[in-house]
């Protein structure tokens, strides 16, 4: 129960935040989301009977029925019986991929339609699932930035995209040079990063850094940080992690494809030491663990692939091609070693949690049978139900902490006055049943209701 002093403080805060009539007119008519329980992303006790006022792209006030008045003329959207949350983030997607089982075929066949068809389709699929922001970690530079910018201008629907553009690695795999850039020496590494920066990427992505020289790695990270671009790096193999830590990457990706039972002791110790450095930003880690944990569900349940949600925006010919490529998941090279890797995942996830690194929700969305409209919530459900993660912290790993990782937490990531109005609502309480997030009937992106 709020004390009178807190009520007075809240009322004063709301009054101080009231816009002038001229400013309100410039933003347009208000929308009020009224009645639901709010999980605002900050980790505190949910706010019952909430009122969220939105004008234009911004949240103007947050309060409760009886203490925060709904402006005259506002559009009222009832959220009674629902839980309202910040829009979700997926911190590891590949929008250029749509779940096809054969990379070589996909990479050779679909480059001409990535920008026009594939990326807009997968982006819209994610948005309608409640994912209002994504971090795309590997795509052709022009294709991903052009779609990102079209979404930002409101020309097409989709989540806010934070794009790395092409992978940086020692040498591109044959046939993938258009979205993988090899480096040859430190100066070439710096030049490639400068080219990415000039292309207006939001971050830099390293892969197979255990095949690069330390001089090349230091050059990539140093040049990226000069341009104020965070660096994320693969963590499939122990040496990738050791080298990434040595050069100061900001975020590691995946839970490891190696079949060792757990991370080596020296890596765990290094993670603990890095996480304990309170004078530095958190060290982030995006496990992308569901795609391996529940491979057998996708393999054995035809209804998972038969769900038509992943068809949205894709021509019938592409849908048919993807569908046929997934007829035998057990024969795909992507999943061939999962039976050996799956038993190691629980130990590694536990080690990461105990080390103090800050875990983020990400999915590897777009890899075989891992569809953008399903992957994010599946990852959250797996964290809670399989690996024992607290539901509130899981939600924060998909809202608040991603915004911190991308340096935009003053603008988005929580439901607070002054921030961008990225909101979702679900029926029931996801703190009791995280699976409720699989059905998101209300999605608001930058103040505009898109579902």
């Amino acid at each position: 129960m709020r004390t009178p002093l807190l009520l007075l403080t809240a009322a004063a805060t709301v009054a101080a935040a009231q816009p002038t009539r001229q400013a309100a007119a410039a933003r347009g008519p208000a929308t009020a989301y009224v009645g639901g329980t709010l999980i605002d992303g900050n980790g505190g006790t949910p706010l019952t009977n909430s009122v969220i006022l939105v004008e234009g792209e911004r949240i103007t006030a947050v309060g409760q029925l009886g203490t925060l008045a709904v402006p005259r003329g506002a559009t009222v959207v009832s959220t009674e019986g629902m839980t309202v949350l910040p829009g979700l983030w997926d911190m590891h997607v590949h929008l250029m991929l749509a779940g096809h089982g054969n990379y070589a075929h996909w990479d050779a066949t679909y480059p001409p339609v990535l920008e026009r068809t594939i990326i807009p389709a997968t982006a819209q699929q994610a948005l309608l699932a409640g994912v209002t922001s994504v971090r795309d970690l590997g795509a052709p530079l022009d294709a991903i930035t052009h779609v990102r910018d079209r979404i930002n201008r409101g020309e097409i629907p989709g989540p806010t995209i934070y794009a790395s553009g092409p992978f940086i690695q020692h040498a591109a795999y044959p046939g993938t040079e258009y979205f993988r850039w090899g480096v040859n020496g430190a100066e070439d590494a710096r030049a490639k990063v400068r080219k990415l920066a000039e292309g207006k990427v939001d971050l830099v992505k390293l892969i197979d850094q255990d095949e690069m020289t330390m001089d090349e790695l230091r050059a990539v990270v140093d040049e990226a940080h000069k341009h104020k671009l965070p660096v994320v790096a693969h963590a499939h193999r122990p040496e990738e992690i050791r080298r990434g830590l040595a050069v100061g990457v900001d975020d590691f990706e995946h839970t490891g494809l190696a079949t060792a039972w757990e991370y080596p002791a020296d890596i765990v110790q290094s993670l603990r030491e890095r996480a304990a450095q309170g004078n530095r930003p958190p060290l982030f880690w995006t496990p992308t663990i569901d795609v391996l944990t529940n491979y057998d569900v996708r393999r054995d349940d035809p209804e998972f692939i038969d769900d038509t949600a992943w068809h949205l925006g894709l021509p019938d010919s592409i849908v048919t091609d993807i569908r046929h490529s997934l007829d035998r998941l057990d024969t795909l090279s992507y999943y061939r070693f999962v039976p050996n890797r799956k038993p190691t995942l629980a130990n590694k996830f536990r080690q990461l949690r105990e080390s103090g690194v800050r875990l983020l929700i990400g999915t590897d969305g777009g890899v075989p049978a891992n569809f953008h409209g399903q992957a994010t919530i599946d990852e959250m459900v797996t964290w809670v139900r399989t690996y024992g993660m607290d539901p509130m912290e899981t939600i924060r790993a998909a809202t608040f902490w991603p915004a911190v990782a991308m340096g935009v937490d003053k603008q988005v990531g929580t439901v607070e006055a002054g921030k961008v109005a990225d909101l979702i609502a679900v029926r029931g309480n996801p703190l009791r049943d995280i699976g409720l997030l699989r059905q998101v009937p209300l999605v608001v992106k930058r103040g505009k209701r898109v579902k």
Side-chain angles (χ1 to χ4, degrees):
M1 193 108 180
R2 294 174 183 246
T3 65
L5 177 59
L6 285 175
L7 284 174
L8 287 171
T9 302
T13 300
V14 170
Q18 294 303 311
T20 65
R21 291 181 180 177
Q22 293 84 354
R27 285 194 294 263
T31 300
Y33 297 89
V34 178
T37 295
L38 172 64
I39 297 174
D40 67 9
N42 286 306
T45 302
L47 182 68
T48 58
N49 297 315
S50 66
V51 177
I52 304 162
L53 301 183
V54 175
E55 294 181 16
E57 294 187 344
R58 298 279 171 173
I59 300 167
T60 57
V62 177
Q64 284 181 299
L65 285 167
T67 61
L68 177 59
V70 175
R72 182 178 301 173
T75 298
V76 176
V77 178
S78 175
T79 55
E80 290 286 358
M82 306 176 81
T83 300
V84 184
L85 308 92
L88 303 176
W89 290 60
D90 192 319
M91 292 293 276
H92 192 127
V93 304
H94 298 285
L95 295 174
M96 69 171 284
L97 303 175
H100 198 283
N102 186 326
Y103 282 155
H105 171 76
W106 188 266
D107 294 341
T109 305
Y110 292 107
V113 296
L114 291 178
E115 181 178 337
R116 183 174 71 250
T117 302
I118 305 296
I119 297 174
T122 56
Q124 186 178 19
Q125 291 169 19
L127 178 64
L128 294 181
V131 180
T132 57
S133 300
V134 299
R135 193 170 64 175
D136 188 281
L137 298 182
L141 179 58
D142 286 346
I144 193 63
T145 56
H146 290 173
V147 175
R148 175 198 65 188
D149 296 346
R150 289 186 66 200
I151 291 172
N152 288 344
R153 291 193 297 265
E155 297 173 6
I156 57 175
T160 300
I161 297 174
Y162 297 86
S164 71
F167 300 86
I168 296 291
Q169 58 191 112
H170 174 65
Y173 309 153
T176 68
E177 291 84 358
Y178 66 99
F179 67 95
R180 294 177 181 270
W181 290 357
V183 299
N184 183 16
E187 287 308 309
D188 185 45
R190 289 185 182 276
K192 293 287 174 39
V193 173
R194 286 194 294 269
K195 186 174 180 180
L196 290 174
E198 291 164 2
K200 306 298 184 183
V201 299
D202 303 290
L203 69 157
V204 171
K205 167 74 178 295
L206 280 166
I207 181 174
D208 294 342
Q209 61 268 21
D210 52 348
E211 298 177 3
M212 300 169 69
T213 69
M214 290 304 295
D215 285 344
E216 289 169 341
L217 279 175
R218 289 191 183 95
V220 168
V221 175
D222 180 64
E223 192 68 29
H225 286 170
K226 282 183 180 179
H227 290 277
K228 302 189 184 306
L229 298 172
V231 180
V232 304
H234 267 205
H236 285 318
R237 298 178 293 276
E239 193 59 24
E240 286 184 303
I241 304 170
R242 294 186 182 101
R243 292 185 176 209
L245 286 168
V247 298
V249 303
D250 304 288
D251 186 340
F252 287 101
E253 306 298 304
H254 307 302
T255 318
L257 293 185
T259 57
W261 190 248
E262 57 187 12
Y263 292 114
D266 67 299
I267 288 177
V268 174
Q269 182 61 29
S270 294
L271 293 178
R272 290 174 188 255
E273 291 172 358
R274 171 64 179 81
Q277 295 175 9
N279 61 333
R280 297 178 65 181
L283 176 63
F284 295 99
W285 197 299
T286 311
T288 69
I289 200 169
D290 173 73
V291 67
L292 299 182
T293 301
N294 287 315
Y295 149 73
D296 52 350
V297 173
R298 295 172 175 84
R299 180 195 64 199
D300 298 339
D301 181 4
E303 298 307 320
F304 181 88
I305 294 174
D306 288 346
D307 186 342
T308 59
W310 61 268
H311 299 186
L312 180 68
L314 296 174
D316 290 345
S317 60
I318 297 179
V319 169
T320 300
D321 189 11
I322 295 170
R323 184 65 187 83
H324 287 331
S325 77
L326 302 175
D327 285 340
R328 287 286 306 276
L329 290 188
D330 57 319
T331 68
L332 301 184
S333 60
Y334 186 89
Y335 291 115
R336 189 161 295 159
F337 299 103
V338 169
N340 294 329
R341 292 165 179 157
K342 184 173 178 177
T344 76
L345 298 177
N347 274 343
K348 291 174 180 174
F349 194 80
R350 173 187 54 78
Q351 286 180 298
L352 293 176
R353 290 177 64 184
E354 293 175 352
S355 74
V357 300
R358 180 58 61 185
L359 298 179
L360 303 173
I361 289 290
T363 64
D364 225 3
V367 302
N370 200 30
F371 304 117
H372 293 277
Q374 302 167 337
T376 312
I377 313 307
D378 285 347
E379 182 82 9
M380 297 175 74
V381 170
T382 293
W383 279 30
V384 174
R385 293 182 180 173
T386 303
Y387 297 112
M389 193 74 166
D390 176 72
M392 180 67 83
E393 279 308 300
T394 300
I395 289 169
R396 297 188 81 215
T399 55
F400 171 73
W401 286 114
V404 173
M406 292 309 302
V408 294
D409 50 302
K410 301 298 183 186
Q411 298 294 318
V412 71
T414 57
V415 180
E416 298 180 76
K419 291 194 175 183
V420 170
D422 285 357
L423 309 168
I424 65 170
V426 298
R427 300 195 181 282
N429 184 356
L431 296 179
R432 295 178 182 170
D433 180 3
I434 196 74
L436 294 173
L437 289 168
R438 287 197 169 106
Q439 299 294 328
V440 184
L442 185 147
V443 180
V444 177
K445 161 80 184 304
R446 300 194 73 86
K448 180 180 178 181
R449 185 169 180 179
V450 296
K451 183 180 180 184

